[in-house]
Amino acid sequence: MYEYFLPQGLRNAIDSIFSPPLEFLGMARDYLNHVSQVAGHGINLNNYFVFFGYLPASMQAVVNSLLAGIVILGILQIVKVILRLYYAIKGGAQWW
């Protein structure tokens, strides 16, 4: 942009000052792009729960039911927190 106005020596000095931060930001951008690609693949839960495969079928059913129950309770907790926040905001706006 300023190639026509700045002498070559001053351009080199400015480039030497701003080159390391720009290179660092470029490396950070490349790393974050790589992380988003890895996160886009998802998590294979079989890698973490493979040891349940050694249990008998009845015990696997118990573990599956337990994990499903934990997920449902977690979802209900999140819904409860959202409703409490909604009622708190509604009650606070009532007194304005």
Side-chain angles (χ1 to χ4, degrees):
M1 180 174 173
Y2 298 107
E3 292 88 14
Y4 302 111
F5 302 112
L6 295 176
Q8 183 66 32
L10 187 57
R11 273 190 279 162
N12 291 341
I14 291 173
D15 287 342
S16 68
I17 292 171
F18 290 108
S19 179
L22 289 176
E23 184 177 328
F24 175 75
L25 290 174
M27 288 172 29
R29 183 193 65 211
D30 294 339
Y31 177 74
L32 290 175
N33 284 336
H34 175 69
V35 168
S36 68
Q37 290 173 354
V38 171
H41 293 291
I43 297 174
N44 187 4
L45 294 178
N46 290 332
N47 294 339
Y48 300 103
F49 297 119
V50 71
F51 53 89
F52 290 125
Y54 298 116
L55 295 174
S58 59
M59 288 303 294
Q60 287 181 7
V62 169
V63 170
N64 286 338
S65 298
L66 183 66
L67 291 176
I70 290 171
V71 168
I72 290 173
L73 288 176
I75 291 171
L76 289 176
Q77 280 293 106
I78 291 171
V79 168
K80 186 171 76 170
V81 167
I82 291 171
L83 282 175
R84 281 186 181 176
L85 181 63
Y86 168 73
Y87 288 132
I89 291 171
K90 185 178 174 183
Q94 186 177 10
W95 295 102
W96 281 79

